[in-house]
Amino acid sequence: MFEIEITPTLIVLFSVLIFCFLYLIIGFRHYVASVARRVTEDSDENLPETPESYPAVSVIVYSEDDAANLELLLPQILDQDYPSPMEVIVVNDGAIGATKDVIARLEQRYSNLYMTFTPMESRSLSRKKLAVTLGIKAARYETVMLTMGNCRISSPLWLRSMMRHFAQGKEVVIGYGAPCPADDAPDNWKRLRAFDTIWNATEYLSWAIAGRPYRGNCNNLAYRRSLFFKNKGFSRSLHLKFGDDDIFVNEVSTGRNTAVELSEASIVETIEQNPQVAHKHLKLRYDYTAKSLKTWARVFFGSCSLVWWMTIGCAVALSIIGWPSLVPMIASIVVLLLQCIILMISWRKTSKALHSRSILLTFPWFMSYHPIYNFYYRIKGFVKRGQNMTWG
């Protein structure tokens, strides 16, 4: 039972198994762990005390139908502990009456709060791109900070955390917006959606940490106004409804001009009234605009899914071909268990660091199922590809 005849087939299969193991442990785990490590490092770093370390900033809030949440969000921004001049510009792209009432009440308390509207007759452009462009044109300061009307900011040091990098010569700062279900959401934040969200976040955050930024999150993104106009705004992606954050960051970001900020104080929450629908829409949009992004991140992370399946396939093949000897089966099980334990621990740390549901024992299942999940949305996105184009 424990005797084994070593054959070329067994040697090849075991060599492939070990290669796959090392690929995932050294490669995939490195990028996953780098995000959690960066959250800890940024959170432990002391913020500068001098006002000169923080530029004057215009915070642009894109609001579509978020009047109720703006009552909470805008004071969270306007009451930030920020030593330099700051203004908040709400770009209203819906619920004009309700949002106008909220702004009117808050303007009595804050003199640096302003609002502008997206013209309703503008049908030939992406309305969000137009709204962001209007907000940036209305901004009086060189540095602009973008967020959304459905966000929440828990720390009074959010703006300091995001802005500290501009004094160091950076032109783009990539932050993170963590999806969070509303208190009255129809369902909980399911583990599969949480896994997919952290997978996508790990892709672009880890790549940016490694000096290869290619994507940002419009819920928490800052850049210089001059950089926006130098790039002619969103002119290269006006044929798409979306991509105002992804494609723009891909066009202007480099390892030298971009910083990643992941401190606890910098992470905002994106409140979702219907998490399932919101996740579906975001996934379809990103899968479509991802074709326009110049990056190897998706190739690498896609290869990790393939290699994961290769480890399973090699382990099964070794067990079958090596039978009746138990040695190949035991060796395969040991490698698989070690791989799962190491990756589960790293994934759990990163999930917690990014304010997502902790996933531990279900990680192997989601890792196996994720390529099928992505393939389903690729087909769905192909069928509905016309919805990603601008209106005629």
Side-chain angles (χ1 to χ4, degrees), residues 169-210:
K170 301 300 182 182
E171 295 183 292
V172 181
V173 178
I174 297 172
Y176 181 64
C180 180
D183 294 336
D184 57 347
D187 65 344
N188 294 323
W189 190 242
K190 301 298 184 181
R191 283 186 171 85
L192 178 58
R193 295 200 297 274
F195 179 89
D196 184 67
T197 297
I198 296 303
W199 180 282
N200 290 328
T202 299
E203 271 191 17
Y204 78 87
L205 291 175
S206 65
W207 227 246
I209 291 169

Side-chain angles (χ1 to χ4, degrees), residues 147 150-154 175-182 189 197-198 201 204-205 217 219-220 262 264 266-272 282 350-357:
T147 190
N150 66 330
C151 288
R152 299 274 177 87
I153 297 169
S154 59
Y176 181 64
C180 180
W189 190 242
T197 297
I198 296 303
Y204 78 87
L205 291 175
N217 188 316
N219 299 320
N220 202 6
L262 291 179
E264 286 288 343
S266 73
I267 296 177
V268 305
E269 291 184 339
T270 306
I271 308 302
E272 304 290 4
L282 286 174
T350 298
S351 296
K352 292 180 68 175
L354 295 182
H355 299 189
S356 184
R357 294 191 65 164

Side-chain angles (χ1 to χ4, degrees), residues 60 89 91 116-119 129-139:
I60 298 172
I89 302 171
V91 186
T116 187
F117 298 90
T118 304
K129 288 191 181 76
L130 176 60
V132 173
T133 300
L134 290 174
I136 293 175
K137 285 185 175 181

Side-chain angles (χ1 to χ4, degrees), residues 60 126 128-139 141-146 166 171-172 221-238 243-245 247-249 251-253 257:
I60 298 172
S126 162
K128 188 179 176 186
K129 288 191 181 76
L130 176 60
V132 173
T133 300
L134 290 174
I136 293 175
K137 285 185 175 181
Y141 300 125
E142 164 66 4
T143 306
V144 293
M145 178 77 231
L146 305 182
F166 288 97
E171 295 183 292
V172 181
L221 178 66
Y223 44 80
R224 294 190 185 277
R225 194 168 176 263
S226 57
L227 184 67
F228 179 82
F229 291 117
K230 181 180 178 181
N231 191 64
K232 297 182 180 179
F234 305 119
S235 60
R236 300 177 206 174
S237 60
L238 288 179
D244 47 282
D245 44 12
I247 296 176
F248 177 75
V249 170
E251 291 171 349
V252 303
S253 290
N257 76 349

Side-chain angles (χ1 to χ4, degrees), residues 21 24-25 28-29 308 311-312 332-348 359-365 367-368:
F21 171 81
L24 291 173
I25 297 304
F28 182 67
R29 179 187 171 277
W308 174 272
T311 60
I312 297 174
S332 300
I333 291 174
V334 169
V335 172
L336 286 178
L337 282 177
L338 187 60
Q339 174 180 288
C340 285
I341 291 171
I342 294 173
L343 294 181
M344 283 192 300
I345 293 172
S346 294
W347 192 269
R348 182 181 177 87
I359 295 175
L360 186 64
L361 297 179
T362 52
F363 170 81
W365 160 246
M367 190 73 178
S368 303

